[in-house]
Structure formats: structure tokens, C-alpha cells
């Protein structure tokens, strides 16, 4: 989408014509909104005989002017003026009558800018008719309009004063689920997918009941208006495959978007129904496991990356490992969780722990250097907190996987280089004493595969000798 034209520097020479403390003219804004009303409700019939409001294109001058209003609406004084002039009601008329996608996109975009200001957001949110109409825009076939609608919804959901209004409204509109799943499963517009993902992530974070409803929608078909009033029914969407499809689209082009979709999966695993939705898919969860496995073993925190990379990737890694851990704990009988296939994953988990040790030492050094800088110390503490979460999740998964190793698996890991004295020492250092039983179980298996390595590790960790 091309950048909107820059707002005009209006003369506003007449006394009292300026909008608030801006240089924008009330008269100019009034004239644009008046022309907008005429576009959707012309005083005279179209000489070409087109039905009212059927034009699908804006003339260039009108598009430029309304785009300027779009840019200007980021100013609070302008947004308040538009609110006083009942611009939201005018936009309602646009949504009802206009057949021009570009005009609809711009009007939703202006509302999105206006909603950034709390009082206006509350007014927009409490208008039930406007709220319903805006949700219907999620069924639009125009990607730019969908993007602006998603941005508007995310803005409103991020305002604590009105978030519950939108959650309840969405919960009562089954078609929202269908439209969102359709976008996630079929769109190739990465920017749109990221924004829709942020909306879903926010919804699930705000309301567990809504998340449970959407999980169950895959087996209990919802009934709602179809896209563009078409009689054709949408596919019977299930939430997990839709999330996976969107994640695959954004994984290469948008790291932030991948983070969003991995966090959505993590939120699903916070309820039993979500875990079951993942592991009881037709493929038994294989597609989910394969995607997450590839991300950890092939893309994130790789051997040729500097250790500091774990700082940049800590949130997405925590989400991915959390989902893998939940799947491994509930589906150990599945073929894809067999340890003979997952030695590279164990190697990656240990590498993450090694990188975190490096980052921890660096954080301590930085803390000493900037001991007098309060803000810097706060940042370090926050980073330490997120790294601790990642470490806890990583250790839990690693301990569970080590307990499942056989002599054959261990020999394979030694041969492939995933297991050696250095990596095992790192694993033991992080797992002990909390996961003592898991480490001891692994050490017994390791002794069968490599007696010398087991003896060396036992010497390095005397506590393990107690029960051997």
C-alpha cells in the first residue's frame, strides 16, 4: 500500500478557523466531510445510470483529500473535531453504501487513528451499531481494509476501559471466528497476518472463555453470516491448522509475527482443551511438532550465531519450547517424539543453555559497569527475568527428554556430536539439583554407552555418586 499524502499546511487565516492548536482549517475539514457525504448519497442520480453508491473508484482529488484527513486524524485536536462533527456516523454510511474498497479502507483507518485517544475510543466502542458494522469488516475481501480493521480492533482491545466490551461483542459474533480463521489460513499478506495474529493473541490473553470457545469451534460448527453475504459456506475451520498456516507464511519475512503466532500456540497449551486440540489433530500433532522442531533445530539459536542471539530470540524460543514440552509430556507414544529422531533437539536445548550462560556472564559485567545507572539496571533485571523463564522451560523439556533416552539413542547422540563431556556438563549444571532423578537416570544409560565419560561427569558432580 502506497504511503498516504502528507497532511496539508492549511492557511487557516480566518479568526477561529484553526482546529485546536493545529494549523489545519476547520472549513477545509468540513468541506471534505461534506463531499464525502455526497459521494455516498449523491443529490442527483449518476448520469451513467449506476445505482446509488455503486462507484468502485474514488476520483483522484477526493482520494487525496480524504487521505490527508487520514494523516491529520493522528492529531488529537483533529480527532476530537472529527468526533464532534459525527464523523463516525458518516463512516457508518460509507460502510453501508459504498462499493469502493479504497474509501472503506481509508474510513476504517481514520477511525483507527481516532481510537488511539481514550475518550474517543470509549465513544466508538460503546456505539453498538458501529461496533457490529466494524466486526463485519473482518469478512471483507479487501486486504487493506482487513488490515485497518485489525489495527482498529487491536487498538480498542489494548484500552483496558473498553477491552471487555469488544471481547463480549466478538464472543457473541460467531462469524468473527470464521473470518479470522479464513484470513490466517488463506492470506499471503504478511502485514495482515501479523496484525490479525496480534488481535487473536490479545483476545486469548484477555479472555480464556473466548479462547476455549474458539478451540471447540473446530468440532462444533458456528453459524454466522458468510463473507460478502455469499450463500457459500466457509470451510469447517479448526484453530490450530489455521495458526500453523499463518506461522509458516510469516516465519521467513517477519520475526515479530512468528513470535506472535508462537505465543498464541503457547496460550493454547495453558488449558487442557488447547493441548488436546494440538495433539489430537488428524495428523496427531505431527505438523505442529515438525514446524517447531525445524525452528529450534534449523533456524533459531544456531551454532554459527553469537551467544547474544538468545537475548533477541528469548520470547519466541520460550513459546516454542513451552509448546514442545506440553506436546512431549502428553504424546510420548507418538512416532514424532521418539528419541531416535530427536537427538538434534536435545543438542539445541543444551546449546540454548550454553548461550544463556554466556549472556548471564555478560549481563553481570554490564551491571557492574553501569551500577550507578538505575535505568540500565532495570533493563538488565528485566532481561534476566525473561531469560530465567526461558531457562526454566528449556530445563523442563530437556529433563523429560533425557529420561526417555536408551543406550542406542545415547550412542547415536555421542556419534552425532550432540552429547559430549562439555554439553553433558552444561546440561547437568543447569538441571541439578531440581531434576536430580532425570540426570541420574540419564547417567546410568550413559554409563552403558560410554563408561569413561560417565565416570568423568560423576567426578565433576559429586552429588551424583550418592546413589550409584
Amino acid at each position: 500500500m502506497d504511503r498516504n499524502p502528507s497532511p496539508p499546511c492549511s492557511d487557516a487565516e480566518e479568526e477561529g478557523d484553526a482546529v485546536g492548536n493545529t494549523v489545519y482549517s476547520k472549513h477545509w475539514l468540513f468541506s471534505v466531510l461534506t463531499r464525502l457525504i455526497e459521494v455516498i448519497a449523491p443529490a442527483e442520480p449518476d448520469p451513467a445510470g449506476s445505482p446509488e453508491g455503486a462507484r468502485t473508484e474514488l476520483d483522484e482529488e477526493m482520494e487525496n483529500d480524504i487521505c490527508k484527513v487520514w494523516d491529520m486524524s493522528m492529531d488529537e485536536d483533529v480527532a476530537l473535531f472529527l468526533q464532534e462533527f459525527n464523523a463516525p456516523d458518516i463512516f457508518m454510511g460509507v460502510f453501508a453504501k459504498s462499493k469502493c474498497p479504497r474509501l472503506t479502507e481509508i474510513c476504517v483507518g481514520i477511525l483507527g487513528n481516532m481510537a488511539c485517544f481514550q475518550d474517543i475510543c470509549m465513544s466508538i466502542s460503546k456505539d453498538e451499531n458501529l461496533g457490529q458494522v466494524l466486526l463485519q469488516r473482518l469478512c471483507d475481501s479487501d486486504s487493506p481494509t482487513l488490515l485497518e480493521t485489525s489495527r482498529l480492533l487491536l487498538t480498542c482491545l489494548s484500552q483496558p476501559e473498553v477491552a471487555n466490551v469488544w471481547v463480549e461483542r466478538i464472543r457473541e459474533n460467531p462469524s468473527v471466528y470464521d473470518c479470522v480463521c479464513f484470513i490466517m489460513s488463506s492470506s499471503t499478506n504478511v502485514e495482515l497476518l501479523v496484525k490479525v495474529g496480534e488481535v487473536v493473541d490479545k483476545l486469548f490473553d484477555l479472555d480464556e472463555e473466548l479462547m476455549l470457545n474458539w478451540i471447540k469451534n473446530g468440532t462444533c460448527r458456528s453459524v454466522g453470516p458468510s463473507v460478502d453475504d455469499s450463500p457459500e459456506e466457509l470451510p469447517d475451520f479448526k484453530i490450530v491448522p489455521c495458526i500453523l498456516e499463518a506461522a509458516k507464511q510469516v516465519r521467513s519475512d517477519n520475526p515479530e509475527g512468528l513470535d506472535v503466532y508462537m505465543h498464541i500456540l503457547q496460550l493454547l497449551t495453558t488449558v487442557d482443551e488447547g493441548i488436546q486440540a494440538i495433539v489430537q489433530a488428524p495428523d496427531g500433532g505431527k505438523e505442529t511438532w515438525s514446524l517447531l522442531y525445524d525452528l529450534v533445530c534449523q533456524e533459531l539459536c544456531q551454532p554459527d550465531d553469537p551467544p547474544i542471539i538468545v537475548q533477541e530470540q528469548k520470547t519466541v524460543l520460550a513459546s516454542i519450547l513451552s509448546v514442545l514440552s506440553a506436546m512431549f509430556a502428553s504424546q510420548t507414544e507418538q512416532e514424532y517424539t521418539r528419541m531416535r529422531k530427536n537427538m538434534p533437539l536435545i543438542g539445541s536445548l543444551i546449546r540454548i543453555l550454553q548461550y544463556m550462560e554466556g549472556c548471564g556472564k555478560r549481563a553481570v559485567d554490564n551491571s557492574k559497569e553501569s551500577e550507578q545507572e538505575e535505568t540500565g539496571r532495570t533493563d538488565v533485571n528485566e532481561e534476566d527475568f525473561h531469560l530465567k523463564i526461558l531457562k526454566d522451560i528449556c530445563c523442563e523439556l530437556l529433563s523429560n527428554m533425557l529420561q526417555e533416552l536408551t543406550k542406542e539413542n545415547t550412542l547415536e547422540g555421542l556419534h552425532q556430536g550432540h552429547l559430549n563431556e562439555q554439553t553433558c556438563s552444561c546440561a547437568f549444571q543447569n538441571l541439578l539439583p531440581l531434576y536430580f532423578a532425570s540426570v541420574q537416570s540419564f547417567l546410568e544409560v550413559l554409563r552403558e554407552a560410554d563408561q569413561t565419560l560417565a565416570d568423568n561427569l560423576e567426578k565433576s558432580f559429586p552429588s551424583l555418586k550418592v546413589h550409584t
Side-chain angles (χ1 to χ4, degrees), residues 144-167:
T145 298
L146 290 171
L147 176 61
E148 293 307 317
T149 303
S150 302
R151 185 173 72 90
L152 170 57
L153 289 177
L154 185 62
T155 299
C156 294
L157 289 168
S158 300
Q159 298 262 10
E161 297 80 8
V162 299
N164 288 339
V165 174
W166 285 98
V167 169

Side-chain angles (χ1 to χ4, degrees), residues 54-252:
R55 282 189 292 175
T56 59
E57 299 291 339
L58 279 174
D59 66 67
E60 186 176 348
E61 181 182 359
M62 184 63 199
E63 179 171 353
N64 286 338
D65 284 347
I66 196 68
C67 280
K68 290 173 184 175
V69 175
W70 189 358
D71 280 341
M72 292 162 62
S73 62
M74 290 187 288
D75 186 287
E76 186 172 9
D77 287 334
V78 174
L80 287 169
F81 176 82
L82 293 172
Q83 177 76 0
E84 292 169 7
F85 193 76
N86 295 322
D89 290 340
I90 297 174
F91 299 152
M92 282 267 287
V94 171
F95 303 147
K97 297 181 179 181
S98 174
K99 302 297 181 183
C100 175
R102 177 62 170 159
L103 180 58
T104 301
E105 172 207 353
I106 295 169
C107 291
V108 177
I110 294 172
L111 279 174
N113 284 350
M114 294 171 65
C116 292
F117 306 105
Q118 184 177 333
D119 290 344
I120 300 177
C121 186
M122 292 181 68
S123 176
I124 291 173
S125 300
K126 290 178 180 178
D127 187 329
E128 187 61 28
N129 289 333
L130 180 57
Q132 295 295 338
V133 168
L134 287 172
L135 290 184
Q136 290 172 13
R137 298 273 65 78
L138 284 173
C139 298
D140 206 296
S141 59
D142 180 60
S143 291
T145 298
L146 290 171
L147 176 61
E148 293 307 317
T149 303
S150 302
R151 185 173 72 90
L152 170 57
L153 289 177
L154 185 62
T155 299
C156 294
L157 289 168
S158 300
Q159 298 262 10
E161 297 80 8
V162 299
N164 288 339
V165 174
W166 285 98
V167 169
E168 184 64 27
R169 189 174 284 149
I170 291 170
R171 194 189 295 139
E172 293 174 353
N173 280 266
S175 62
V176 173
Y177 169 85
D178 290 329
C179 295
V180 167
C181 284
F182 180 74
I183 294 168
M184 291 194 297
S185 62
S186 63
S187 179
T188 57
N189 185 319
V190 171
E191 189 178 6
L192 171 59
L193 288 172
V194 172
K195 195 59 64 178
V196 167
E198 289 174 345
V199 170
V200 174
D201 188 42
K202 191 68 175 178
L203 283 170
F204 286 3
D205 198 34
L206 286 170
D207 193 81
E208 186 176 292
E209 181 185 344
L210 183 143
M211 181 172 72
L212 287 169
N213 288 342
W214 282 26
I215 291 170
K216 295 171 185 175
N217 264 341
T219 55
C220 181
R221 179 73 178 141
S222 61
V223 178
S226 56
V227 177
D228 295 334
D229 298 322
S230 168
E232 296 181 8
E233 288 191 4
L234 289 170
D236 187 5
F237 291 116
K238 292 178 175 60
I239 190 69
V240 173
C242 296
I243 293 169
L244 292 179
E245 190 59 39
K248 285 186 279 188
Q249 284 289 331
V250 305
R251 65 185 287 186
S252 301

Side-chain angles (χ1 to χ4, degrees), residues 256-325:
E256 293 79 12
L258 180 64
D259 199 342
V260 168
Y261 280 99
M262 293 302 100
H263 190 254
I264 295 173
L265 283 176
Q266 182 183 9
L267 287 173
L268 291 182
T269 65
T270 60
V271 295
D272 289 340
E273 293 87 345
I275 297 174
Q276 295 308 310
I278 293 173
V279 300
Q280 291 184 358
D283 63 355
K286 182 178 179 181
E287 185 179 358
T288 303
W289 183 275
S290 296
L291 173 62
L292 303 189
Y293 178 96
D294 283 347
L295 288 170
V296 175
C297 296
Q298 304 296 331
E299 294 187 23
L300 300 173
C301 205
Q302 294 301 292
D304 56 349
D305 288 328
I308 195 67
I309 194 71
V310 78
Q311 284 280 18
E312 298 175 17
Q313 299 174 351
K314 56 184 177 289
T315 56
V316 67
L317 281 170
S319 294
I320 293 172
L321 298 185
S322 181
V323 178
L324 287 172
S325 185

Side-chain angles (χ1 to χ4, degrees), residues 329-345:
S330 63
Q331 289 287 291
T332 51
E333 74 279 4
Q334 285 288 344
E335 177 63 24
Y336 60 77
T337 61
R338 301 296 185 207
M339 294 316 304
R340 62 184 174 79
K341 293 186 175 182
N342 285 304
M343 286 310 306
L345 180 54

